[in-house]
Amino acid sequence: MTNGPRQRSSTAGSGQDAAAEKEMGGGVALKKEIGLVSACGIIVGNIIGSGIFVSPKGVLENASSVGVALVVWIITGVITAIGALCYAELGVTIPKSGGDYSYVKDIFGGLAGFLRLWIAVLVIYPTNQAVIALTFSNYVLQPLFPTCFPPESGLRLLAAVCLLLLTWVNCSSVRWATRVQDFFTAGKLLALGLIIIMGIVQICKGEYYWLEPTNAFEPFQDYDVGFIALAFLQGSFAYGGWNFLNYVTEELVDPYVNLPRAIFISIPLVTFVYVFANIAYVTAMSPQELLASNAVAVTFGEKLLGVMAWIMPISVALSTFGGVNGSLFTSSRLFFAGAREGHLPSLLAMIHVKRCTPIPALLFTCLSTLLMLCTSDMYTLINYVGFINYLFYGVTVAGQIVLRIKQPNMHRPIKISLIWPVIYLIFWAFLLIFSLYSEPVVCGIGLAIMLTGVPVYFLGVYWDNKPQCFNGFVNKMTYLGQKFCVVVYPAESRSSGNEEEGEEMKEARSPLSTEDRSIHKSADC
């Protein structure tokens, strides 16, 4: 890969162009602005969404007792920490943005990586972001409609405004985006801290009936192995987002140190918060009350906070707002990484010449989420592809073992014992097999959606000799997109000097003219 954007012209090999290329390559690149605090904010903020406030009852409902539910929360937290430990090794061994997509692609090949990217682009991130934005708008508008549900059109409009505002923030500055993430992560931790403190106060008052061993493990329905497995599955989904920091590895300050540190700090913190928030809930509510509530934290606040009960719905709104920001920030980097490898249009791999933010990838992420807001089937789609998302977690961790076998002498700043990925894969296989057994149709549809990416890969990526008219159209659209967004392909990081360049990127690096680039070049980058 060359040092900067290559000008596509008949004199591309001239010394003048080479000088311009070198000058530009040294100027525009992704900034390393994510420190340890912001890295922890990304992990914690993406894991803790609205679920722990609104509906932590999925685990309790299937665990059949308070005690088993707490055990499930602890075990899934430990398994998540083991998975994150595996990702920490992969993240510093393959120090590229894109997370599990980049690891799967490098270890198992282009098709496997593309299928991970395909399902993420097509369904996972647009639907998740749309649902989180709708939850935000619901909690903001609910006080204005105390006796009924807010109108659907109002919910979707406010969700769209939330997405557009946060997309603008992310396009403007990486620093702004991380500050927003830090602020709202701190806000949700303070709210959960208040819940935990109120729970401790309740325990000091003697309100711990459901925490006494004889009562905690008293089932409110018969224990069932299938239900308990489903409780573990629900718990694993609640920890979703633990791998998001790996999507922005190239923007981390000192990633070899801060990536593992952020993981080691954040996962235990989230596990602690999840377990003790659930303990706090059962000091004020019976399991039956908890299962009957549509918004557990709000019910908890109404019981214990009195006139200050309004804090809880506001906390949910703030939590979801921060969740949308974190998801936009990380998912855009996934699409950026995919485009850089030639698996998405090359325009998405370009960054603004002054702000050094991946504006095309952010706009693409926002647009796909806005389109998802227009459909009523997004919750169904989430159910279909949740299985696929979890499938690729295991594939990625298995890739760690494969990489150890294929390249045993590869430099690994962190090298963990292989017992950890084996433990994770045993737990992962148990949940995967149970999912297939309990919901074969849903899992089958999810697999079918993923496999629609196979012909797309062979037509769009693998097929080299595309018609000249098609290539000309793509180049023209790329040029127009560059002019509109004022973006160029960034200089390659020295840390990724061994990367292979995607075929599409070899064809079209940056048709933006040298004059345009010199006008927009900024010393800020």
Side-chain angles (χ1 to χ4, degrees):
M1 190 180 285
T2 57
N3 291 329
R6 183 171 65 239
Q7 185 179 357
R8 290 172 53 80
S9 69
S10 59
T11 58
S14 69
Q16 182 180 358
D17 289 339
E21 181 181 328
K22 182 177 180 180
E23 178 190 5
M24 194 58 198
V28 180
L30 291 170
K31 294 182 180 181
K32 291 183 176 291
E33 292 188 343
I34 304 175
L36 180 60
V37 173
S38 295
C40 293
I42 288 171
I43 297 176
V44 175
N46 278 291
I47 295 177
I48 303 177
S50 62
I52 192 64
F53 294 101
V54 180
S55 182
K57 58 189 181 184
V59 172
L60 177 61
E61 184 177 20
N62 292 292
S64 303
S65 72
V66 171
V68 174
L70 293 176
V71 170
V72 168
W73 282 112
I74 294 169
I75 292 176
T76 49
V78 171
I79 295 298
T80 299
I82 292 173
L85 194 64
C86 298
Y87 270 62
E89 178 182 315
L90 286 169
V92 296
T93 304
I94 307 174
K96 299 195 295 184
S97 292
D100 37 26
Y101 157 72
S102 294
Y103 312 147
V104 169
K105 177 191 170 295
D106 283 6
I107 297 169
F108 295 109
L111 177 59
F114 180 82
L115 291 178
R116 174 69 182 101
L117 183 66
W118 174 252
I119 203 72
V121 171
L122 197 65
V123 180
I124 292 175
Y125 288 104
T127 52
N128 283 344
Q129 286 158 190
V131 168
I132 299 171
L134 283 172
T135 306
F136 162 78
S137 58
N138 185 55
Y139 274 84
V140 170
L141 293 179
Q142 191 61 59
L144 303 178
F145 300 88
T147 59
C148 62
F149 293 108
E152 190 69 21
S153 57
L155 290 173
R156 293 178 187 270
L157 180 61
L158 184 57
V161 170
C162 167
L163 286 164
L164 291 170
L165 174 61
L166 288 173
T167 299
W168 174 77
V169 169
N170 277 267
C171 288
S172 299
S173 169
V174 172
R175 185 176 286 110
W176 287 11
T178 55
R179 294 296 178 269
V180 168
Q181 190 67 21
D182 295 347
F183 176 80
F184 285 98
T185 299
K188 69 179 72 177
L189 287 176
L190 287 173
L192 287 165
L194 176 61
I195 291 173
I196 293 170
I197 290 170
M198 294 300 297
I200 294 172
V201 171
Q202 285 287 97
I203 291 172
C204 292
K205 290 180 178 179
E207 300 289 341
Y208 50 81
Y209 176 83
W210 292 106
L211 297 176
E212 294 176 351
T214 53
N215 300 319
F217 290 94
E218 180 184 345
F220 49 82
Q221 63 184 14
D222 293 337
Y223 285 122
D224 181 90
V225 175
F227 283 148
I228 292 175
L230 195 57
F232 276 106
L233 195 62
Q234 293 282 345
S236 297
F237 288 157
Y239 284 93
W242 54 267
N243 59 325
F244 277 19
L245 185 62
N246 292 68
Y247 291 161
V248 296
T249 303
E250 292 173 33
E251 293 170 81
L252 276 174
V253 176
D254 196 0
Y256 295 105
V257 173
N258 286 330
L259 177 63
R261 276 186 184 174
I263 289 171
F264 299 153
I265 293 170
S266 302
I267 305 300
L269 175 61
V270 172
T271 304
F272 172 87
V273 167
Y274 273 8
V275 172
F276 282 88
N278 278 278
I279 289 174
Y281 287 147
V282 297
T283 62
M285 291 178 280
S286 68
Q288 291 75 18
E289 287 178 300
L290 198 150
L291 292 173
S293 174
N294 289 322
V296 176
V298 175
T299 305
F300 180 86
E302 290 171 350
K303 280 179 169 287
L304 299 183
L305 295 178
V307 294
M308 300 298 288
W310 54 268
I311 291 176
M312 286 299 115
I314 288 179
S315 298
V316 177
L318 294 178
S319 179
T320 50
F321 189 81
V324 174
N325 180 74
S327 186
L328 281 171
F329 185 85
T330 53
S331 60
S332 63
R333 270 57 178 184
L334 172 61
F335 302 157
F336 168 88
R340 184 173 58 186
E341 300 291 345
H343 287 175
L344 289 174
S346 59
L347 179 64
L348 301 184
M350 298 180 190
I351 63 174
H352 193 272
V353 294
K354 290 185 178 180
R355 298 182 177 93
C356 299
T357 54
I359 289 179
L362 283 161
L363 294 178
F364 176 78
T365 306
C366 179
L367 180 61
S368 60
T369 307
L370 290 174
L371 290 174
M372 199 58 68
L373 281 175
C374 300
T375 178
S376 59
D377 295 329
M378 57 184 144
Y379 293 97
T380 306
L381 287 171
I382 286 177
N383 290 334
Y384 288 153
V385 301
F387 165 78
I388 302 301
N389 201 33
Y390 198 71
L391 170 68
F392 273 103
Y393 288 165
V395 171
T396 305
V397 173
Q400 180 186 13
I401 299 174
V402 171
L403 196 63
R404 286 280 191 94
I405 296 170
K406 284 185 174 180
Q407 300 186 42
N409 298 321
M410 189 175 186
H411 175 62
R412 293 175 172 86
I414 296 176
K415 189 173 183 179
I416 64 173
S417 170
L418 285 181
I419 190 64
W420 299 117
V422 169
I423 291 172
Y424 183 87
L425 287 173
I426 291 171
F427 182 81
W428 168 82
F430 163 71
L431 291 185
L432 208 66
I433 292 169
F434 175 76
S435 297
L436 285 167
Y437 174 77
S438 61
E439 295 184 312
V441 175
V442 171
C443 296
I445 293 174
L447 285 168
I449 292 173
M450 180 189 72
L451 292 176
T452 60
V454 174
V456 177
Y457 173 79
F458 282 103
L459 289 174
V461 180
Y462 190 79
W463 182 23
D464 285 335
N465 300 318
K466 299 181 181 68
Q468 187 62 39
C469 60
F470 176 80
N471 289 333
F473 174 77
V474 170
N475 289 338
K476 184 176 290 187
M477 290 298 101
T478 302
Y479 177 78
L480 291 174
Q482 284 189 268
K483 296 288 283 186
F484 177 75
C485 298
V486 194
V487 291
V488 293
Y489 195 76
E492 184 179 358
S493 171
R494 291 184 183 275
S495 64
S496 56
N498 294 328
E499 294 176 29
E500 290 186 6
E501 189 174 14
E503 289 300 322
E504 183 178 346
M505 202 56 62
K506 287 179 181 177
E507 285 187 11
R509 287 291 236 109
S510 175
L512 195 66
S513 68
T514 304
E515 291 80 4
D516 288 332
R517 292 183 303 192
S518 62
I519 290 171
H520 293 294
K521 183 174 180 286
S522 170
D524 293 340
C525 298

